[in-house]
């Protein structure tokens, strides 16, 4: 079922309310969920005290050269805002904003951030760092600073900021893979990549014809000064001008401005830029090319090759950093328009990649890279990206894209991650400690009924491990190395590796969605919650939520008040951004509340929970019918105008 055209935000009107009044023992998952909130709140307070100063700056070194790195401190602290949005402690609202400003000031002094935005880097790293901004939007109410920055940041990519001419409005392209508040970075210097050289020694070479480099070795000695000088020249000549699919992650920073302002120009830019890449894919026979030049010619600086661009099919990660920004962009487009056909670009790329599969050592594998000799680097297909599409579409065709992937590993395994990145022990990608999308999917399809307890138990163990790290010599800032690239726990990555504020379980179970895509995805979800008594975002104190089932036009939700003494009133919102309407509500399997189906007809439904009470409800839903916004039930009024600076 396709959504109707989006309606604007609903004005204030009385909310339909359900009541649950019978006391009873809370189920085990609900007790664990509330204990996890308490542990996360206490861990966040300890993490902040140990690694930040009162002004929000980080206790760290006095310098940091190179363009890599402003994303990493944001990544280490961004979950403070997300935890608050879920229902974490009140202090997190102020603390998350203070620390964002502290990091921004500090990296401005280091020389990489300008006008509160990274001066220039790629949208894999921008995407990681600016998740913090998106979470601040959810951790409402939004401040004037949040809204003002959102517009300023978006204008850097819409072609409306003369100091940051990143976007060519005529050609509809972002002019360089390296971009930011100072505009496109067509020419890099030796310092720009200086902090990453030791890490990149272990990566594939960007090109197959670098003098002195054996491409077949799958390694490139960036630490060799002669090779490094040649690399810089070749990248400036071939790679740093023109557009790449990775830049589709910029749709997030522009959509973020729309969620704050409802200004249609931001929505239209997202759609225009996505359509430009759809056209380039059609020009390339359906497969999206990984590089176009400033004249919008495929392979313009790359001997006409559609492969070999920055973060493209050849270097460094291959298909993963091509498909991720596409999935992020199409999900953003659906959010802004309600049109689920906007998923087609991602679907086509999955299908083309799947059509190139082969059998190898008894496994079905697909190519992740393309060299001059053709497709290579065959690996097992990832299920998590089709799962993201399915959560949006609920379509059989996307379910088939998931189920056609052989389960060569156990999708029922609940993983406790070791690192924020590629786990050398397991081979699994656990960036931002996100590792359980597949078992969550199995739970949603009725195949893993004990998943809520298992993922909550795993989350407790993860936090315990992180607290142990904080208490170890590794957790002492005075012991941190001054070098740039030691291992997973190198100094620039240390905060995200030590951070105990990780809550994949809470996001999945309460919002009814997988965690965001780590390189720049919004935290989409079927629901969001508000505390009606305290008029703030997130689940009320003592309240637990479990999304038990998802359908295209319905969802089953279980709410529990774990307190035997205090009542709580929770407002359920359809969609993280209010994009869905709740059409009906039916109480399931209980003695409280109406037995008939109650008409709701709003993106909000209020539930009054007496002490110790719980309620299971089947909610009818009309999805993607409302104009998305960060606003909640008490922020629907017109916001105060943004500030206007001098014209000269």
């Amino acid at each position: 079922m396709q959504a109707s055209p989006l309606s604007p935000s609903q004005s204030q009107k009385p909310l339909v309310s359900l009541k649950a009044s019978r006391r009873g023992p809370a189920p085990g998952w609900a007790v664990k969920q509330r204990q996890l909130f308490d542990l996360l709140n206490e861990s966040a307070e300890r993490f902040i005290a140990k690694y930040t100063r009162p002004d929000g700056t980080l206790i760290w070194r006095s310098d940091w050269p190179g363009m890599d790195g402003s994303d990493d401190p944001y990544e280490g602290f961004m979950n403070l805002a997300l935890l608050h949005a879920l229902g974490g402690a009140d202090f997190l609202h102020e603390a998350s904003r203070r620390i964002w400003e502290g990091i921004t000031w500090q990296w401005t002094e280091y020389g990489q951030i300008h006008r509160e935005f990274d001066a220039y880097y790629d949208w894999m790293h921008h995407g990681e760092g600016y998740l913090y901004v998106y979470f601040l939007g959810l951790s409402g109410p939004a401040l004037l600073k949040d809204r003002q920055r959102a517009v300023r940041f978006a204008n850097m990519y819409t072609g409306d900021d003369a100091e940051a001419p990143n976007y060519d409005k005529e050609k509809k392209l972002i002019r360089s893979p390296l971009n930011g508040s100072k505009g496109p970075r067509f020419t890099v210097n030796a310092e720009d990549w200086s902090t990453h050289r030791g890490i990149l020694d272990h990566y594939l070479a960007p090109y197959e014809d670098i003098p002195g480099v054996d491409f077949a070795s799958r390694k490139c000695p960036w630490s060799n000064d002669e090779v490094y000088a040649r690399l810089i020249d070749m990248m400036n000549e071939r790679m740093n001008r023109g557009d790449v699919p990775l830049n589709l992650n910029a749709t997030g920073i522009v959509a973020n401005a729309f969620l704050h302002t409802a200004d249609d120009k931001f929505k239209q830019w997202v759609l225009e830029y996505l359509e430009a890449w759809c056209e380039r894919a059609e020009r390339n026979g359906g497969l999206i090319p990984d590089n176009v030049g400033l004249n919008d010619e495929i392979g313009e600086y790359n001997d006409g090759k559609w492969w070999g661009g920055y973060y493209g099919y050849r270097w460094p990660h291959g298909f993963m950093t091509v498909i991720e920004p596409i999935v992020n962009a199409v999900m953003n487009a659906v959010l802004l328009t309600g049109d689920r056909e906007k998923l087609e670009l991602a679907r086509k790329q999955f299908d083309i990649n799947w059509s190139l599969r082969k059998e190898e050592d008894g496994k079905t594998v697909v190519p992740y890279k393309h060299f001059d000799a053709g497709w290579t680097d065959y690996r097992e297909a990832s299920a998590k990206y089709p799962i993201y599409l399915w959560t949006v579409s609920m379509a059989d065709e996307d379910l088939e894209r998931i189920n056609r992937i052989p389960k060569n590993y156990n999708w029922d395994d609940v993983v406790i991650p070791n690192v924020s990145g590629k786990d050398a022990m397991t081979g699994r990608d656990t960036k931002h400690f996100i590792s359980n999308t597949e078992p969550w999917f199995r739970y949603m399809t009725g195949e893993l009924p004990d998943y809520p307890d298992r993922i909550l138990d795993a989350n407790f163990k993860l936090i315990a491990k992180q607290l142990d790290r904080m208490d170890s010599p590794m957790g002492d800032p005075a012991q941190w190395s001054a070098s740039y690239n030691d291992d997973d726990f190198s100094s620039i990555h240390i905060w995200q590796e030590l951070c105990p504020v990780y809550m994949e379980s809470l996001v999945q179970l309460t919002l009814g969605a997988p965690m965001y895509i780590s390189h720049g995805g919004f935290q989409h979800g079927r629901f969001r919650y508000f505390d009606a008594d305290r008029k703030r975002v997130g689940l009320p104190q003592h309240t637990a939520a479990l999304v038990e089932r998802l359908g295209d036009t319905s969802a089953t939700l279980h709410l529990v008040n774990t307190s035997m003494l205090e009542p709580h009133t929770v407002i359920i919102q359809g969609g993280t951004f209010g994009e869905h309407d709740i059409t009906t509500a039916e109480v399931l399997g209980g003695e409280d509340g109406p037995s008939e189906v109650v008409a709701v007809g709003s993106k909000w439904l209020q539930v009054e929970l007496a002490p110790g009470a719980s309620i299971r409800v089947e909610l009818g839903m009309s999805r993607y019918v409302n104009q998305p916004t960060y606003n909640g039930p008490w922020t629907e009024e017109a916001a105060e105008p943004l500030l206007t600076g001098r014209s000269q």
Side-chain angles (χ1 to χ4, degrees), residues 9 23 59 71 105 143 252 287 322 386 430 448 451 509 606 622:
S9 298
R23 273 191 178 91
I59 300 168
D71 55 299
W105 178 88
L143 307 179
L287 178 69
V322 175
T430 55
L448 201 59
Y451 180 70
L509 301 182
Q606 183 167 280
S622 185

Side-chain angles (χ1 to χ4, degrees), residues 529-554:
Y529 306 94
F530 298 87
D531 184 335
D533 300 315
R534 301 172 67 218
K535 290 194 173 181
R536 57 147 287 181
V537 299
L539 286 165
Q541 293 174 317
H542 310 123
T543 305
L546 176 62
V547 179
E548 298 180 344
R549 190 186 66 82
L550 296 177
D552 185 17
T553 59
S554 64

Side-chain angles (χ1 to χ4, degrees), residues 157-160 165-175 243 269 272-273 275-276 279-280 283 293-296:
Y157 289 91
T158 60
D160 297 310
N166 292 303
Y167 189 63
D168 183 330
K169 290 187 176 184
E170 179 184 353
K171 300 291 186 183
K172 298 179 175 53
L173 58 82
I174 293 177
R175 301 170 63 216
D243 210 349
W269 185 89
E272 171 186 287
Y273 187 55
E275 181 56 34
E279 187 277 330
R280 289 166 194 144
R283 216 190 311 159
L294 292 173
N295 293 310
D296 198 22

Side-chain angles (χ1 to χ4, degrees), residues 23 33 380 439 473 498 537 612:
R23 273 191 178 91
Q33 203 177 99
E380 296 174 42
L498 293 172
V537 299

Side-chain angles (χ1 to χ4, degrees), residues 351-625:
D351 292 345
I352 292 171
N353 184 254
W354 183 250
S355 73
L356 297 167
R357 69 191 181 279
K358 67 178 183 179
E359 296 298 313
E360 190 175 90
D361 298 327
K363 295 181 179 180
T364 302
V365 290
V366 294
Y368 271 64
K369 290 187 173 72
H370 192 286
F371 297 164
D372 290 349
W375 290 106
T376 186
D377 192 18
Y378 282 81
R379 311 181 200 174
E380 296 174 42
S382 172
K384 66 180 180 180
Y385 302 116
I387 289 172
Y388 285 106
L389 293 193
W390 174 76
T391 62
V392 171
S393 72
M394 291 278 111
D396 289 343
E397 66 169 293
D398 292 316
L399 190 60
E400 194 279 328
R401 288 184 176 92
I402 301 167
N403 290 331
R404 73 189 178 190
I405 298 172
K407 296 178 177 63
N408 293 324
Y409 58 91
N410 189 352
W411 290 15
D412 292 355
D413 280 347
V414 174
V415 175
I416 302 171
N418 293 304
V419 296
S420 174
K422 187 77 168 183
D423 190 332
M425 294 175 61
T426 65
R428 299 274 290 268
D429 177 11
T430 55
K431 185 68 178 176
H432 295 159
F433 291 82
I434 300 170
S435 58
N436 292 292
T437 301
E438 292 92 336
W440 171 81
F441 166 75
R442 295 273 290 163
Y443 171 63
M444 282 294 99
T445 53
E447 302 296 328
L448 201 59
D450 62 345
Y451 180 70
D453 279 306
R454 290 175 60 194
I455 187 63
L456 286 163
D457 289 344
N459 210 152
F460 278 109
K461 291 176 182 176
L462 171 62
I463 296 170
K465 182 190 297 185
Q466 296 301 99
L467 291 172
D468 283 344
R469 285 174 173 167
M470 282 178 58
D471 290 341
S472 73
M474 175 198 305
D476 180 1
Q479 304 297 318
W480 292 350
S481 169
S483 68
Y484 301 142
N485 41 261
D486 299 321
D487 51 27
D488 289 324
F489 298 90
S490 63
S491 134
I492 190 64
H493 296 130
I494 194 70
W495 303 286
Q496 57 188 293
E497 298 298 348
L498 293 172
C499 178
V501 188
Y502 290 111
M503 54 275 181
E504 184 177 31
S505 64
L506 294 184
V507 167
Q508 292 179 340
L509 301 182
T510 67
L511 303 188
M515 290 284 280
Y516 58 87
I517 293 177
S518 60
H519 298 115
F522 280 170
Q523 182 53 70
H524 298 267
R526 185 61 70 96
F527 297 111
R528 186 182 177 200
Y529 306 94
F530 298 87
D531 184 335
D533 300 315
R534 301 172 67 218
K535 290 194 173 181
R536 57 147 287 181
V537 299
L539 286 165
Q541 293 174 317
H542 310 123
T543 305
L546 176 62
V547 179
E548 298 180 344
R549 190 186 66 82
L550 296 177
D552 185 17
T553 59
S554 64
T556 304
L557 177 63
H558 192 174
L559 292 174
V560 178
N561 181 0
T562 63
S563 171
M564 289 289 187
L565 302 174
E566 298 180 26
H568 292 291
T569 301
V570 59
I571 295 175
I572 307 164
Q573 176 176 282
T576 312
F577 309 100
E579 66 270 29
H580 308 320
D581 258 356
I582 300 171
T583 56
T584 59
E586 180 181 7
V587 177
L588 302 174
E591 300 178 25
D592 294 315
S595 58
E596 76 276 9
V597 176
V598 175
V600 179
S602 170
K603 61 181 173 182
W604 296 305
L605 170 66
Q606 183 167 280
V607 178
E608 300 175 36
L609 295 168
S614 65
I615 189 170
R616 290 180 68 243
V617 286
E618 177 85 6
L619 300 174
M621 303 193 75
S622 185
R623 297 192 302 124
Y624 297 107
V625 295

Side-chain angles (χ1 to χ4, degrees), residues 11 61 64 85 168 178 223 343 358 406 418 432 473 481 520:
S11 59
R61 55 190 295 154
W64 182 255
D168 183 330
L178 302 173
S223 293
L343 299 177
K358 67 178 183 179
N418 293 304
H432 295 159
S481 169

